[in-house]
Amino acid sequence: MAGVPLQFSEALNLQQLGVPETSIKHGLTSMESDRWIICVEPTQVTMVDLQNGAQVTRRPIQAEAAVMNPTQNILALRSGTTVQIFNLDAKAKVKAHQMPEPLVFWKWTSTSNLALVTATAVYHWKLDDANPPVKMFDRLDKLGPNTQIINYRVSPDGKWCLLGGISAGAGGTVDGNMQLYSMEKKVSQHLTGHAAAFATIKLPGRDDPAHVLCFQGKTAGSAEPPKFFVREIGRDPAKGPPFGITPASIPIPPDAVSDFPVSLVVDPKNDIALLLTKMGYVYMFDIHSGKTIYRARVTQDTVFVTCAQASTGAIFGITVRRGGVLRMQLNGQTLIPYILNTLRDNDLAIKLAGRLNLPGAESLFAAEFERHMSTGNIAEAARIVASSGTALRTPATMSRFQQIPAQPGQVPPLLQYFSVLLETGRLNEQESIEVAKPVLQQSRLPLMEKWLKDDKLQASEALGDLIMPHDVGMALSVYLRAECHAKAIQCFVQRGEYDKIVPYSTSVGFKMDYSSMLNQLLFNNPQGALDLAKGLVNAEGGTLIDIQATAEAFLSSNRVQETTAFLLEALKENKSEHAYLQTKLLEINLIGGAPQVADAIMQQGILTHYDRPHIGKLCERAGMWQRAAEHYTEINDIKRVFKNSHQMNPEFVVSYFSKLNREQSIMLLKDMISRGPQNMQVCVEVAKKYHDELGSEDLVGVFEGARATEGLYYYLGAIVNSSEDPFVHFKYIQSSCMLGQFKEAERVCRDSNIYVPEEVKNYLKSSKLPDPRPLIHVCDRYDYVDELTEYLYLNSLLQYIEVYVTKVSPTKTPMVVGKLFDLGANEDFVKRILMAVGTACPVEELVEIAETRNRLRLLQPWLEANVATGSTEPSTHNALGKIYITLNRDPKSFLLNNMFYDPKVLGPYCESLDPQLAFIAYKKGAGECDEQLIKVSHEHGLYRDLAKYMVERQDLELWAKVLTPEEGKENEEDPQRRQLIDQVVEWALPESTNADEVSCTVKAFMAADLPSELINLLERIVLQGSDFSDNKNLQNLLILTSIRADSTRTAGYIDQLDNFDAKDIALICLSESHMLFEEAFSIYVKFAKPEQTPDKDEQIEMMVLAIGVLVDHMKDLDRAKTYASQCDEKPVWSKLGKAQLENKFPAEAIESFINAEDPSEYVQVCAEANEGEIWAALIPFLKMARKSMQENLIDTELIYAYAKTSNLTEMEKFVSGPNVANIQTIGDRCFSEGLYQAAKILFIGINNNSKLALCHIHLEEYRDAVDAAKKANNVSTWKQVCFACLRAEEFRLAATCGLEVIKYPDHVDDVVVYYSDLGHFGHLISLFEQGIGLDDAHVGIFTELGILYTKHMPEKVMDHCKVFFSKLNVSKVVRACERARLFKPSVYLYMQDKQHDNAVRTMMEYAPCWNHDLFLDSITKVRNAELMYKAVSHYLTLHPMFFTRLMEVLEAGIDHGRVVNILKRTGDWALQLALPYLKIVQKFDVSIINETLHDLYIEDEDYEALRNSIEKFKNFNMIALASTLSSHELLEFRRISAYVYRCNKKWSQSIELSKNDRMWKDSIDTANESEDTEIIEGILRFFCETSEKECFSAALYTCFEHISPDVAIELGWMNGYYNFTMPYIIQTFRRTHQRLKELEVRTAPPAEDNVENDVAASYTNNNLGGFGGVLMLENQPSMGGPMPGVDMSGFGGMMPNGGGMPQMGQMDGGMMMPQMGQM
């Protein structure tokens, strides 16, 4: 809103994002910060990410409440008393806790603390530890259970807590109470008020911040208006009194007397407090003064949750149910004018303008300043300037203070001015310079340092220059802040902080010449040079120097240590391209006597790309055998080194084999073993470690080949326990036996599962060991018992047989005995073995073996001995049983009395001998042999025994086996089953007196589906007199069986029997499978009599069940009504009424319910009555129901019945009396059915003005409708009344309503559509023209008016856009303009909205709206670069004269190569037109631009321009250009072709062209530059052949460095060119002389007094060969030559000058060559 100090807008709407209305309320929706809004829905939690365009995330989480952490994606969930915290990013639960009581409020008070408020106390739960919530304090009585907690805050310093809540007060008011708690003092204070907030403010004149509490205070029941309080809390009295203001009254509007605050939020950026109320009012307060700045009603809804945005100072709030997210922010541009013009508070305006640096009070500041200056109040004038922001802080103001003369003994005015400014803030650049001058003159550097540390001065280059002579460090800090990079680097150099230069330069993007700086430092400060060089190679973005050249420079100064340190730093990234440097780094240390350095480097493993074979050789020469071995890969080299393996670390030797392949390892191992036993131990270790890789067979072969049995034994012993190779285990057994280690062999044979048993067995048998125990274990484990027994028996090792069966494997005794039987061994020996083994021998197996060999009688003594010892093993007793049965030694007694034999074994054994014995044996099985028992009984006719056994067994499954027919024979008579049934019925069951046996038998008959037999059985038991005649279960069973098998008997049984379960039997009769309704009715009637059921309640229950049979099953309502009359019981009438209601007899049902006095079915009765339209009959029922029930539906339906019967008098009387009717609902119902008079009465009674207005509309009472709409003040009501008035052509009333509707942006379109559909365009435009004058006019009104202008008044569109651009929705208006073909307004709007892409596109597509200046202004700001290229084509086509200007504008942001392609496609005229542009952009050195210009230059024959272009710009296809120019008709172009060939090192083509054109100098220069001796000799011979003597001499001079003297002298001698050759010969001799002289000096013995030079020279001569020696700055090849015995490949053989030739016209010896014209 323009002109007011508060910017207000609706950022988004939660309902539009899909959040249901019911979830947008207190407790379900939370907003802890400006990052997330969390909404809890019934089945999910909705999260709105405000940082990512209100992106909605829904998670299937069921919870009662949820709150998101203010800064992290950590979600707290609450359900009941359980609180859980989840980290959404990590997808993990952080914490969980069960609270002792339910929570009533919770809130994140910081990023690491969650506050939990219960009905009695407040807890804090820390996020960063594992502790449970900690109780902070108890709630005061004033904030008891009846208080709703709506707020909880913690002060920024964490020392104060504030709990706020509301409760119902007297007279319908809402009271507010707050509890302020001190964390330090542990005390609480009660405050009366509704809202409060903590704030931290900076007060003038104080260094420490003030922690204040802002709150609205109002005493309950007091007539005084509420007040705004600001109080400082927690201030130390020693620092002064606390800050506070006089409580200021809050201006409450007349229509909001009952309003109360719901939230107080502080804008921390501006120290402004916003107070929001329930009715939607917002109050703005200045915290420093407590004054009210602004008040407005921003919403009709209640804002229930708020939060502040610290970065902008904005306040967010969410309205209840509607879900509007409101954004409120201080409007700094209008704040001061508003205070001046509206509040007329100059003092407040000055304070806020100064504190917040806001515009609008400049004139006030100036007037105050002049007033104080005129009165000589310097200090106050300075304070005015300080508080004015930047308005008065100008050089002119400083000049004013400088012009004031200083008073004696007082501080000069200018310094007073600066003092005040320093107290209040920071000085600007000019002020900082002026205040620094006198301070530096007085050498008060600590004061300057303090100001800089406190950021009181603005850094600048001039300020740094002032400080530089006094303190370099302080100047450096100033330069760094002012971004004066060159000056800052200069300070680093002066301070010796070379290591900081490169990081700083890189971080700020400053470029400088590091090479020259490095060269200067190299001789003056080598350590500094090293630090700088390290920084240069470690710079971000890559190294800034040539590593090779830098290392050479260090080494040329004899700085080996620095060279090593530098290279280590430079090569630490271990790049492959640095392989040569890595090699040299190690080489200079290995050759130079510092192998320990090289060893340390290699130990670290930081270099891996060096020449490993070469370094290996150097290591071998230095005696570093391990390092040498590490670098060799050839096996011969490795074997040579390993001749010294005894000098190596054994661990290294073992680990070294991991680097070799299998073949190499075997070869090396063989070599090492062959050199003697001293290597045996390490070879064993190698074999142990690498046996998996090398293979056990090969390793065994190595040891066996060297006959190293002991080594083989130790090697195999180390791996045999873990190896799974049978070969290993066999060889270990073999080696153990060979060395006499029989216990080891026995252990492996006993424990190993890997070896091949057959192989080991054969080896051990063939070895005939003196101790056969290994063989015994092998044969025992792998069942070679027969072979073992035979081996031992035949070798007379009988004691080992006995040992084997008694101690090793007694379970194998049967096999041994069987083999002894086969071998014909002595029976006494066998018996002795058996008696020795005793019970440990498996009986069953032994018996089987004995039986097969007919030796069972032999076992009888042994078996009886086992039984005598207490053996209970079934096999023992089975064997004895067989013996006794065979011998007929009282077998029946044995079968009956013995408890240990197995009936399954002896039963079949007895069947062939005696079936009765078999039956006894099977019966002894206790159910395990039932099938065999049944089979024996059937086969031998033992039915009576079987029947008795079946009854006694009481096993239903067994009964099923004998009673159920076989599958496929269900209809056939089974005589065996019939005989069994007869025996059961006639003999077995009647003799039984056990109820369980009877019950089980009956169940069996039932399960076998034998109803007839079962009925006969039950009649005999129940009706014919027995012990079970009165048994209820049997009576139930008899009736149930008759129901199932013969229902004709059921009625008789019901009459005869009295002791059965009536209810259960009746339910079975009623089941769908039987449907015996009459029998069920008879049961209920019989048991409803007093003689059967004494209890009255049970009698009534039976009556209800009886009538239930009639109405629910027999559907006989008349008979039911007769029965109900007979009974005359209310439950019976009620049951009848429900049945009548279900069968759609509402009138009869109402009568029955009235008889029953039962209103319970009032819901269905009302529904049926409404459906049947029997409202008159319904009224008595509802009156009866109201006597016992107070239900909303009853009263509501009674009102509706009055309305439908037009009994409005009774209805009005009922409504005015006490009732619980939902009048709103019934009013809506009457309204929807057209009962408008009744609805009008109802809506008047409940003050529903919205619906009342609609009733007036339908009754055509339009003025009353408008009045009701005003009272309702609801947008939907306004809209409906507006449309109704519009239909009735009540335009004035429609406009009144329309203005209220268009205030809401969401409803503007509806108004426009409705007016437009009726064709009232003029009235519509008039409505919106009135709407833009509203105080709360929004963007939608201005936008829609603009759209209407485009349709109906296009002449007003441009003016409207210009005047109200800031209030338009640009995209909508633009689309409307384009639909109306109004492109100039479209372009204007696009440009104002910074949519330059669309503006440019529109101007190109529609020529009438094109404007050159506007186009240029927009084209540079487009985001889509494609538009620039379209603009190029557009200008070439339509505006070619402006093309160059266009390209000047687009130069920085366009791809010039692509532009050239466009020009080429357009035509040659376009290239000519663009020639100035191409020359301008050639500086970018783009290939296609260069080639295009070359083509134009060639076409224009402008060779000078072409040569200049080639020399300056190299990015083009040189070979193609040279090839093109080589055949050009003009000489200069051919020279250019030769030059291009020369630049591309195409020496032959260049020289050939020059020779063809007789350009001798060009050919000589080209040959010299090639440095190719063949080419140079060729040109010399060419000159000799063509007799070009002068050229021959010039070639000798120019190519002096590359000509062999013998060639020159030979050519001169053969062609007679002595005079022309002599200068070359003289120069050659001079250089030779100089070399010899320098060699003599170098090899001369050193002077004794120059020890340091001697050491340096020695170090250089011996160790620096790899870097070419000392750098020489002269062009003397002799100084660059290699030294004897040292590799000079170091850095390329190039001298610092590149080995280049002398300058033209002068040789090294100072001799001048004659010019070509003088020869």
Side-chain angles (χ1 to χ4, degrees), residues 94 189 499 803 1170:
V94 179
Q189 180 182 351
D499 55 333
V803 170
N1170 286 326

Side-chain angles (χ1 to χ4, degrees), residues 325-390:
V325 180
L326 310 181
R327 186 180 188 275
M328 293 161 280
Q329 185 176 5
L330 178 70
N331 189 348
Q333 301 299 317
T334 61
L335 176 61
I336 304 305
Y338 178 84
I339 295 175
L340 292 174
N341 300 327
T342 303
L343 303 182
R344 302 188 182 278
D345 191 338
N346 293 350
D347 180 63
L348 179 60
I350 290 176
K351 290 180 179 179
L352 285 176
R355 192 178 84 230
L356 304 181
N357 193 18
L358 298 177
E362 291 81 358
S363 59
L364 290 177
F365 282 118
E368 285 293 309
F369 174 71
E370 293 297 339
R371 183 171 66 83
H372 289 298
M373 289 292 285
S374 63
T375 59
N377 193 345
I378 304 301
E380 287 300 324
R383 290 190 180 90
I384 291 297
V385 175
S387 63
S388 68
T390 59

Side-chain angles (χ1 to χ4, degrees), residues 1-2 4 294 1303 1330-1338 1342 1367:
M1 293 180 284
V4 298
Y294 181 66
K1303 290 180 180 178
Q1330 296 177 51
I1332 62 175
L1334 297 172
D1335 290 340
D1336 49 356
H1338 53 81
F1342 294 92
K1367 301 178 180 179

Side-chain angles (χ1 to χ4, degrees), residues 126 372 386 483 884 919 1130 1196 1245 1303 1356 1366 1577 1636 1647:
K126 294 295 184 182
H372 289 298
E483 299 183 357
Y884 293 160
F919 186 90
K1130 292 181 179 180
T1196 302
K1303 290 180 180 178
K1356 292 186 178 183
S1366 62
E1577 288 183 16
L1636 292 174

Side-chain angles (χ1 to χ4, degrees), residues 59 72-75 86-94:
R59 294 181 180 270
Q72 308 176 62
N73 290 341
I74 295 179
L75 183 66
F86 293 88
N87 188 320
L88 301 183
D89 294 335
K91 298 181 180 179
K93 182 191 293 186
V94 179

